[in-house]
Amino acid sequence: LRYGVNRREFDEIILPLYNPLQRRLLMIVRDQDVAADLTQEAFVNAWRAWHSFDGRQPRAWLFQIGVRLALNYLRRQAVWNRVRQQLRPQPEVIPSVEPDLWQALGALRPKERTALLFSVDGYTYREIAGLLGVSSGTVGSLIARARAQLRAAMEMQ
Amino acid sequence: MNDQDFDGRLRALEDNLPVQPMQFDATMGSSAQRPSRALSAIGVLGVVTASAVLAIAAAELLPRSDGTSSVGLSSPTADPSGQEATLPVAPSYGPRALSCGAGIGGNHPIAEFDIEHASEIPTIFPGMKRNPDLESDPRPAHVVVFGEGFVLPPTAGIGSPPESASSAVCVVHEGGERVLYPNVSLEGFTPPQTSNPGGE
């Protein structure tokens, strides 16, 4: 018999991950409203797919749903955002902790940010590669580039 | 600054980012209050709600076993005693049970469960007729079981006469594909412990 057929399990296992997912998506998309929207969309998708969840690594399962939504969103919005930012700058999130690091992260490409964050979580290159749809070698390059850029940016400040 | 320090600072940054309140309502399986991105949620809710409305409407329109129909008789003010009658509460069914015909003509699942492989179904229902396709189907499936008096869902559109079956086993695959096996003998069938009749 398969895991994940009722709502109580979903409430107990997945709902506590709402805020962590929203923060992770905010780190990736850097827009508070978009991160909140994507989080709820991820939860709707997770609920729809709940019957197919195998019971292993719920955080990884949910975050994969959310991160794919975020990267798709960024891909779709890439052109439009360039135009929109010239018309009306988006309200900037100013975190209370590590604002300089937040600023430096903004200079990274979304996949670099994402790869770095999941490597900090302890994900393997192979797992991150599956998440991003790239090769393990590319993941290594993304992470190395992200760390080098961040280090350089922080040393300049 | 080494990588460990750096990772610690990244975690601290992420852990202290502001969040917006939860907008997800798992009781509906959808999100609420955020119209900008709620289209997919509306889609899910819409399908479920529409299915429920259709099922209830079908149950109202289909003749009962005594040949009567409930159309026109279930108004809250129709109670001859003059007291306001309360509307019956319709049982809630999940979308997969609804797709199998739950709610139509009083159809109520006696068991629902998920299985790893559809090929396990013949062993769960030893009284079932042999079906080579099912016996070799490796896909995971959700199974909805109906007991005696099952009314087959209409397949020829509105107005087609309802057909009855003694009992039925409905197999729903991921992606929504559904196969209904009517007149399955339930002899020897024991609902699994995690069986979840009437809900998902």
Side-chain angles (χ1 to χ4, degrees), chain B residues 65-147:
Chain B
S65 56
D66 61 1
T68 65
S69 167
S70 63
V71 173
L73 296 177
S74 59
S75 161
T77 56
D79 187 340
S81 69
Q83 294 179 336
E84 188 171 285
T86 55
L87 288 168
V89 177
S92 60
Y93 302 108
R96 289 175 291 184
L98 284 169
S99 76
C100 291
I104 295 175
N107 288 343
H108 181 73
I110 59 171
E112 269 191 72
F113 52 92
D114 287 5
I115 51 174
E116 293 272 9
H117 309 290
S119 55
E120 298 165 20
I121 291 173
T123 60
I124 297 172
F125 299 92
M128 191 176 196
K129 287 177 190 165
R130 290 210 61 188
N131 184 318
D133 288 345
L134 188 60
E135 288 166 11
S136 60
D137 190 341
R139 292 176 295 171
H142 183 76
V143 180
V144 186
V145 187
F146 296 94

Side-chain angles (χ1 to χ4, degrees), chain A residues 1-7 10-11 15 18-20 22-27 32-34 36-38 40-41 43-45 47-48 51-52 59 63 73 76 93 95-102 105 116-117 119-121 147 150-151 154, chain B residues 1-4 6-24 26-38 40-41 44 96 113-116 120 140-142 174-175 192-196 199-200:
Chain A
L1 294 176
R2 308 190 72 215
Y3 197 87
V5 291
N6 70 46
R7 207 193 77 220
F10 187 88
D11 289 353
L15 284 192
Y18 195 92
N19 286 349
Q22 191 179 157
R23 289 194 178 99
R24 174 55 51 91
L25 297 185
L26 179 54
M27 291 285 274
Q32 185 88 66
D33 289 336
V34 171
D37 285 349
L38 290 171
Q40 72 175 35
E41 193 171 339
F43 266 69
V44 170
N45 290 352
W47 173 243
R48 291 171 70 177
H51 63 279
S52 65
R59 188 177 187 276
F63 275 40
Y73 167 83
R76 286 197 309 270
V93 175
S96 56
V97 173
E98 300 284 1
D100 295 339
L101 184 54
W102 170 260
L105 276 167
L116 176 64
L117 291 168
S119 75
V120 170
D121 279 349
R147 286 194 184 280
L150 282 183
R151 193 167 284 118
M154 298 302 286
Chain B
M1 185 171 59
N2 63 33
D3 280 354
Q4 281 189 340
F6 194 72
D7 292 355
R9 290 179 65 181
L10 269 174
R11 286 196 196 95
L13 166 62
E14 184 171 6
D15 290 345
N16 286 282
L17 285 176
V19 290
Q20 293 185 4
M22 185 184 295
Q23 302 290 336
F24 175 78
T27 59
M28 296 191 297
S30 69
S31 54
Q33 298 175 18
R34 295 187 67 89
S36 62
R37 208 169 248 283
S40 60
V44 178
R96 289 175 291 184
F113 52 92
D114 287 5
I115 51 174
E116 293 272 9
E120 298 165 20
H142 183 76
E174 284 176 2
Q193 286 188 337
T194 56
S195 178
N196 182 24
E200 297 197 35

Side-chain angles (χ1 to χ4, degrees), chain A residues 83-134:
Chain A
V83 177
R84 192 172 58 173
Q85 281 170 355
Q86 287 170 5
L87 298 174
R88 180 181 62 85
Q90 291 179 304
E92 181 72 16
V93 175
I94 310 285
S96 56
V97 173
E98 300 284 1
D100 295 339
L101 184 54
W102 170 260
Q103 210 64 39
L105 276 167
L108 302 183
R109 290 188 299 160
K111 280 191 176 177
E112 291 170 343
R113 276 200 298 275
T114 307
L116 176 64
L117 291 168
F118 281 92
S119 75
V120 170
D121 279 349
Y123 283 61
T124 64
Y125 280 16
R126 192 175 168 186
E127 288 167 336
I128 298 170
L131 195 66
L132 298 180
V134 298

